Amino acid sequence: MSEFELVAIAVVTVLSSARLTRLATVDKFPPVKWFRDRYEKATEDSGWDLLTMCGYCFSFWATAVVVAAGYLSEFHEVWWLVNGTLAASYAAAIVMANDGDEETS
């Protein structure tokens, strides 16, 4: 594996994991919020409910899943498609939120 590929894997992994963490912990996208609410109710008072309330807590698991999926699939093109899309959508949202137009953020 080339140095370029290793850097690309690292960048995509970080951004994809960050997007998954945001989805799991704070996004209001209805299907994700529905699942998060059910998870929190099912795990209430167990300590595991904190997983969806803490970005630091969840990001470890999101990153572990992204890395494991990449390793086990030998970074198959489907891994790149899914995680590249998550990474690009997260980067696009960051750019949009900081593009200087106060009315859209």
Side-chain angles (χ1 to χ4, degrees):
M1 197 172 295
S2 73
E3 284 184 28
F4 174 79
E5 289 172 307
L6 291 173
V7 170
I9 288 168
V11 169
V12 167
T13 296
V14 168
L15 291 172
S16 176
S17 299
R19 182 67 187 114
L20 289 171
T21 299
R22 178 154 179 95
L23 277 168
T25 59
V26 297
D27 270 13
K28 295 176 183 160
F29 182 54
V32 176
K33 185 174 181 334
W34 178 89
F35 182 78
R36 182 175 54 244
D37 291 344
R38 298 305 176 279
Y39 174 83
E40 288 172 1
K41 187 173 182 175
T43 58
E44 192 172 31
D45 298 326
S46 71
W48 285 100
D49 56 328
L50 298 175
L51 193 59
T52 59
M53 299 175 196
C54 172
Y56 296 105
C57 305
F58 192 87
S59 65
F60 170 81
W61 297 106
T63 303
V65 167
V66 171
V67 169
Y71 180 77
L72 293 172
S73 72
E74 297 180 352
F75 299 96
H76 187 271
E77 62 190 32
V78 173
W79 183 91
W80 284 102
L81 180 64
V82 170
N83 290 287
T85 300
L86 288 167
S89 71
Y90 192 62
I94 291 170
V95 170
M96 189 283 309
N98 294 291
D99 70 356
D101 186 359
E102 297 300 321
E103 292 181 26
T104 61
S105 52

